[in-house]
Amino acid sequence: MEEEMEKTVEVPVSAEPAPAAASGGDTNAEALRQELGKFAAPEGERYIVECRNLGKTYGNFTALYNVSFKVPAGGIVGLLGPNGSGKTTLIKLAMGMLQPTTGEILIGEKRPGPATRAITAYLPDANYLCDWMRVEQQVTYYADFFADFRREKAEAMLQRLGIGLKQKIKALSKGNKEKLGLILTMARDAQLYILDEPIAGVDPAARDFILETIMANKPENATIFLCTHLIADIEPVLTHAIFLKTGQIALNARANEVRLKTGKTLDELFREVFKW
C-alpha cells in the first residue's frame, strides 16, 4: 500500500464501506476516480498538503471519512464540492482549529501547529476583521503578528483599490471588507495560502479583482488552496483539482490531465459527479 501511495497522485480509497452519512456510492464517480488515479506523480515531487485516512465526526455525523490525498507544491489547487461536502472541515483541520477523529493531515510534512501556521496564510469564509479598527491599524496588526507580512505590498494593493488607510473598517462596504481580508492574506510571503470561498457572494467584477489579486501576488513556489463551489470562475487558474463528495474524495488529479482523459472541463465534470 505504501508503495502505491508513492506511485500515484491519488491514494486509493479504502475498500472498507463508508458510514451512511458519508457514503459516496456513485459508481460513475468511483470509476472516474480509479481511472484518473492511474496518473503517476513525477519522481521527487514535493507535497505541501497530505491527508492519510483522515476522518472527522461530530457526534453521530461524519463530516469526513477516510480522506487520503497529496497536493503537489507550487500550483493552484481547487478544493471543490457543494455546500456540506466537508471542505471547511478539512480546512479547519489543516489550520489546527479542529483535531482529527481518525488519521492525520500534514502541512509541509508536519502536523498542524505553530510551525505550520507560520508558513500558511489563511482567509476564512466569514468576516474576521476588527470593525472598530482603522485600515492602517489592521495592517499594523498583521505586520506585528506575521514575520512574513509585507506592509508595502498591502498598502500598494489598498491604494490601487482606493481604500484609505484612515478609513474605519466598519464603514467599508461588504465587498471592500472582503477585498481587504484578501489583501492582508496575500501580502504575506507564505508557502501555502488557504482561501475558503473567496469569491462567494461577490459580483462578477469583484470576482475578477479577487482572482487577479491572487494570481499577481502568489510567490513563485507557493501553493494556493482555493475552496469553492463556483468552478467555472476559477477553472482557468487551476493546476490541480480535488472533488469532495459527502466527506470523501471523488477526484484528485491535475486539471490538464482531467481534460485530456475525459474530454470535459472541470465545470462539466463537476456537474456530472455532483448531479442530483
Side-chain angles (χ1 to χ4, degrees):
M1 182 65 166
E2 289 298 321
E3 183 177 338
E4 179 67 12
M5 288 171 65
E6 292 303 316
K7 288 182 179 178
T8 61
V9 174
E10 179 191 358
V11 179
V13 175
S14 169
E16 180 183 352
S23 176
D26 187 307
T27 56
N28 290 335
E30 176 62 26
L32 177 67
R33 175 166 56 239
Q34 292 179 0
E35 185 64 27
L36 289 171
K38 295 175 184 177
F39 285 108
E43 290 294 329
E45 184 166 43
R46 175 174 169 263
Y47 297 100
I48 187 67
V49 180
E50 181 176 357
C51 293
R52 299 174 178 172
N53 305 115
L54 183 67
K56 181 64 181 177
T57 60
Y58 303 95
N60 293 325
F61 176 72
T62 301
L64 294 173
Y65 178 76
N66 201 30
V67 171
S68 294
F69 66 82
K70 295 179 181 180
V71 171
I76 301 179
V77 181
L79 180 62
L80 312 173
N83 294 330
S85 59
K87 301 189 304 296
T88 295
T89 295
L90 180 58
I91 285 175
K92 288 182 177 180
L93 288 165
M95 292 303 301
M97 300 164 66
L98 295 173
Q99 294 301 312
T101 304
T102 58
E104 64 178 351
I105 184 168
L106 303 176
I107 308 296
E109 301 182 350
K110 297 179 181 178
R111 291 185 176 180
T116 64
R117 285 191 287 272
I119 65 170
T120 304
Y122 171 49
L123 179 67
D125 64 343
N127 178 38
Y128 66 96
L129 301 172
C130 300
D131 276 351
W132 56 270
M133 283 187 176
R134 297 186 184 277
V135 172
E136 63 181 348
Q137 291 175 302
Q138 190 79 73
V139 170
T140 298
Y141 177 82
Y142 260 68
D144 290 343
F145 201 81
F146 298 109
D148 61 1
F149 185 78
R150 299 294 175 257
R151 188 183 188 111
E152 65 281 1
K153 180 188 284 189
E155 291 183 354
M157 286 189 280
L158 289 168
Q159 184 177 17
R160 178 187 167 202
L161 189 60
I163 296 179
L165 291 172
K166 300 296 184 181
Q167 285 185 265
K168 280 283 187 74
I169 291 177
K170 68 180 179 181
L172 297 178
S173 66
K174 179 177 181 292
N176 277 349
K177 285 181 181 179
E178 291 175 348
K179 291 173 185 175
L180 174 58
L182 177 68
I183 286 169
L184 293 170
T185 303
M186 296 307 300
R188 289 184 57 191
D189 283 339
Q191 294 181 34
L192 174 65
Y193 297 82
I194 298 180
L195 313 178
D196 193 357
E197 297 288 0
I199 59 173
V202 298
D203 60 67
R207 290 179 190 175
D208 290 343
F209 171 84
I210 288 169
L211 291 175
E212 183 182 339
T213 300
I214 291 170
M215 295 301 296
N217 293 280
K218 173 187 176 296
E220 183 178 358
N221 296 318
T223 305
I224 293 179
F225 216 59
L226 265 174
C227 171
T228 186
H229 60 277
L230 301 171
I231 316 302
D233 293 283
I234 68 165
E235 177 161 354
V237 305
L238 293 184
T239 61
H240 200 97
I242 297 172
F243 287 0
L244 263 185
K245 184 174 185 181
T246 55
Q248 292 184 288
I249 298 296
L251 170 74
N252 176 31
R254 288 171 178 78
N256 60 349
E257 292 174 339
V258 172
R259 299 184 192 103
L260 178 65
K261 194 71 177 182
T262 67
K264 300 175 182 177
T265 66
L266 288 173
D267 185 52
E268 290 169 338
L269 191 60
F270 183 87
R271 294 172 188 272
E272 180 179 311
V273 172
F274 294 96
K275 63 185 176 182
W276 295 99

